[in-house]
Amino acid sequence: GVESSCQVLITGSWQRLDVHKGHKGRHDIMDEYIADIRRARSTILISNQYFISQRSGQKEVDEYTHPRNEVGLEIWAKLKAKIDQNEPFSVVIFITIKTGDSHMPTMKTLFDNKDKENPGGLKPKLIKYLKDKGSNKDWRDYLAIAFMANVADAEYLERHGVPNRTQGFPAEGKALFYPIFLHTKAIITNGAAQIGSANLNDRSLLGSEESDAELNIRVVGRGSFEFLEQVMQRYTLHSAPLFDNSAPKWTHLFHRGVLAREINSIASDNNHKMAAYYGFDFESGEDWRYDYRRMFPGETQALKPVEAMFQLEGKESRVARSTEFAAMMQGDGQDPWYREVSGPRPTLAGFIYPWTENIYGDPYDEFWLGTQNTNALLRGIVN
C-alpha cells in the first residue's frame, strides 16, 4: 500500500559539485536521514563504515571530538519516545570494527560513559534511561550493535572454493580470523531506504566547505523491504530469523520492532562459539586462550583488579599488544591471525558479532590520541 518512488540525494558545496542552497551547501542526504528517522514506526537499521554524530554533553566532557550532525541525537529521541510510549522499537547498527584514526569518535558516539549522570554514548544512555524509569525491559530489546568478521579453517575455505595453494592458506589444525571491512552506507526505516556513498559523519553529511561530494539513492516502497531481506541474508546467511521462529521473513521482525533482539541473539551465539573455538570473546573483551586477559588493554585505562594487584603487565607491553590488536582489527589489508584449533570450525550464523564497549574499553584512553584526533584542523576533517 506504499507508493513506490526513487530519488537522488546529494551532499555538496560550492567547492565540490558547485551547488548552493541559499548561502550554504547542500545536505539533502542528512535532511532525509533525519526525516526518515523521525518517521520510523518500528525499526531503524544502519549499515555504515562510520557512526560519528553529535552526542549530549560532548562539549563538557570531550576536548577532542565535536561532530555537529545530529543523526545520533535524532535516533536517541526516537528511542526515548518509543520507550515512553511503551512500544517495541529496534535500532540495529552494523558497523566496521576499526576504521583508522576515525575510530575514537565512533566509540564515543556509541559508548561514551564519562559523565555517568548524562552519558553521551547511545548504549549507556539507553541503559541508564531504562533503569531510571524502573523499566523491566532489557536494552537488548531496543539496540543491537554488531560488526562483521569470519574465522576459517582449511576445510571451510576449500568448501567455499579457495584453492589450498593460495597464499596464507591455513595449515592443518589451524584457523585464521579476519575482520570484514564493512563499506556499505545504508539506512533502512519503515518503507524507505537510502544507499550510496555517504558515511555517517560530518564530512559526508553537512555540505560544508570541508565536506566531500556524496550521492545517495533513496527508495520508498517495496524495494526498501527487498533490500532489507538482501542485507539480512548476506550478513547472517539465512533467509529467515533463527531464534524467533514465529517470523517467516526478516521483514516481519522489522515491522514488529523486535529485530534488535534477534540480532543480539545471533551475534551472542556466534560470539560464544568463536570464544570456545578461537579464544576471542567480544562480549567481555577477553582472550580465553591467555587467562582471559584483555585483548586490548590500552595505554591509560584502569587495570583489572588482579592486573593492578600483581602488576602482571607493564605499560610498554600493554601498548604493544593494543597496537597489534588494533592493526589486526583494521580489516583493510592487514594479515589475519592464525591459531591452533581443536576440531572443525563451528557452524556460525553468517558473520555478525557483538561490538561492545569491552573490546576497546575506555574511548578516552590516551592510546587513541594521535595527530588526527588532537590537531584541530585534521580533527574537523576526520569528524
Side-chain angles (χ1 to χ4, degrees):
V2 179
E3 182 180 350
S4 296
S5 65
C6 180
Q7 65 184 125
V8 176
L9 305 171
I10 64 170
T11 297
S13 66
W14 65 270
Q15 290 179 308
R16 295 184 173 93
L17 294 186
D18 191 27
V19 297
H20 303 270
K21 191 172 186 179
H23 298 291
K24 301 180 180 179
R26 294 275 295 272
H27 40 74
D28 306 354
I29 295 172
M30 181 176 67
D31 292 345
E32 287 301 326
Y33 262 30
I34 291 174
D36 283 338
I37 289 168
R38 290 176 177 175
R39 286 188 288 256
R41 298 186 301 276
S42 61
T43 304
I44 299 167
L45 185 148
I46 291 172
S47 181
N48 208 288
Q49 181 180 344
Y50 302 95
F51 192 85
I52 303 173
S53 177
Q54 188 177 146
R55 59 198 189 279
S56 60
Q58 66 181 24
K59 292 182 180 179
E60 289 74 25
V61 300
D62 193 352
E63 183 181 351
Y64 299 114
T65 54
H66 300 145
R68 290 179 287 158
N69 79 80
E70 297 184 354
V71 171
L73 295 180
E74 292 288 344
I75 290 174
W76 168 242
K78 173 62 72 170
L79 265 176
K80 180 176 178 293
K82 290 295 184 178
I83 293 170
D84 291 343
Q85 295 160 10
N86 198 29
E87 295 181 7
F89 195 85
S90 286
V91 174
V92 176
I93 301 171
F94 295 111
I95 190 169
T96 303
I97 187 61
K98 175 70 172 64
T99 52
D101 289 316
S102 301
H103 186 62
M104 181 180 69
T106 294
M107 290 199 306
K108 289 179 177 177
T109 305
L110 294 171
F111 303 123
D112 180 7
N113 198 28
K114 188 171 186 178
D115 184 346
K116 303 297 184 183
E117 294 304 312
N118 183 24
L122 185 60
K123 178 180 173 180
K125 185 181 288 292
L126 170 62
I127 292 172
K128 184 176 187 300
Y129 191 72
L130 290 171
K131 181 180 178 181
D132 290 348
K133 283 183 67 71
S135 173
N136 60 358
K137 296 285 189 179
D138 191 321
W139 68 267
R140 297 171 186 84
D141 293 336
Y142 293 99
L143 176 65
I145 306 170
F147 72 97
M148 316 290 284
N150 197 18
V151 63
D153 60 7
E155 188 277 332
Y156 173 88
L157 292 174
E158 288 178 336
R159 181 158 38 92
H160 287 83
V162 179
N164 58 17
R165 62 182 179 276
T166 303
Q167 182 177 355
F169 198 89
E172 197 70 32
K174 288 192 174 184
L176 58 88
F177 169 88
Y178 58 94
I180 297 172
F181 194 81
L182 186 63
H183 211 251
T184 307
K185 297 97 164 47
I187 180 171
I188 308 173
T189 59
N190 295 92
Q194 274 196 56
I195 187 168
S197 67
N199 288 308
L200 210 162
N201 60 7
D202 285 0
R203 186 172 172 177
S204 286
L205 296 178
L206 291 184
S208 61
E209 293 182 1
E210 297 85 10
S211 294
D212 289 337
E214 308 286 6
L215 185 147
N216 275 16
I217 301 297
R218 180 174 180 268
V219 177
V220 175
R222 193 174 108 185
S224 65
F225 301 123
E226 294 174 351
F227 179 50
L228 168 70
E229 295 290 339
Q230 291 172 3
V231 167
M232 297 311 305
Q233 165 77 28
R234 173 164 292 188
Y235 290 2
T236 69
L237 298 183
H238 286 74
S239 59
L242 285 74
F243 288 86
D244 189 335
N245 297 323
S246 67
K249 297 180 69 175
W250 292 102
T251 310
H252 290 77
L253 298 187
F254 191 91
H255 287 312
R256 285 163 42 197
V258 295
L259 184 61
R261 184 189 310 157
E262 177 75 12
I263 297 304
N264 280 318
S265 296
I266 294 172
S268 181
D269 189 61
N270 281 348
N271 180 75
H272 179 76
K273 293 175 179 176
M274 169 73 78
Y277 178 66
Y278 202 80
F280 288 172
D281 182 350
F282 298 107
E283 289 183 332
S284 70
E286 297 172 339
D287 191 337
W288 290 16
R289 293 283 185 92
Y290 292 90
D291 297 322
Y292 300 93
R293 73 181 183 183
R294 288 179 177 172
M295 295 185 288
F296 181 93
E299 182 174 341
T300 57
Q301 60 186 299
L303 300 175
K304 297 169 64 174
V306 67
E307 295 170 336
M309 180 180 299
F310 296 104
Q311 296 183 342
L312 298 178
E313 188 174 23
K315 178 178 177 180
E316 185 176 336
S317 175
R318 295 201 309 271
V319 171
R321 283 206 300 114
S322 298
T323 301
E324 181 184 26
F325 181 77
M328 187 272 291
M329 295 302 283
Q330 182 76 13
D332 59 351
Q334 300 291 335
D335 291 333
W337 276 14
Y338 294 84
R339 282 187 168 180
E340 293 184 357
V341 292
S342 298
R345 175 188 183 273
T347 300
L348 301 166
F351 312 104
I352 62 174
Y353 295 87
W355 189 8
T356 71
E357 64 276 22
N358 296 321
I359 297 176
Y360 295 109
D362 183 8
Y364 291 88
D365 191 286
E366 291 182 9
F367 179 90
W368 303 110
L369 298 185
T371 302
Q372 286 199 15
N373 286 320
T374 56
N375 179 278
L377 176 62
L378 291 176
R379 182 178 68 238
I381 296 173
V382 167
N383 283 339

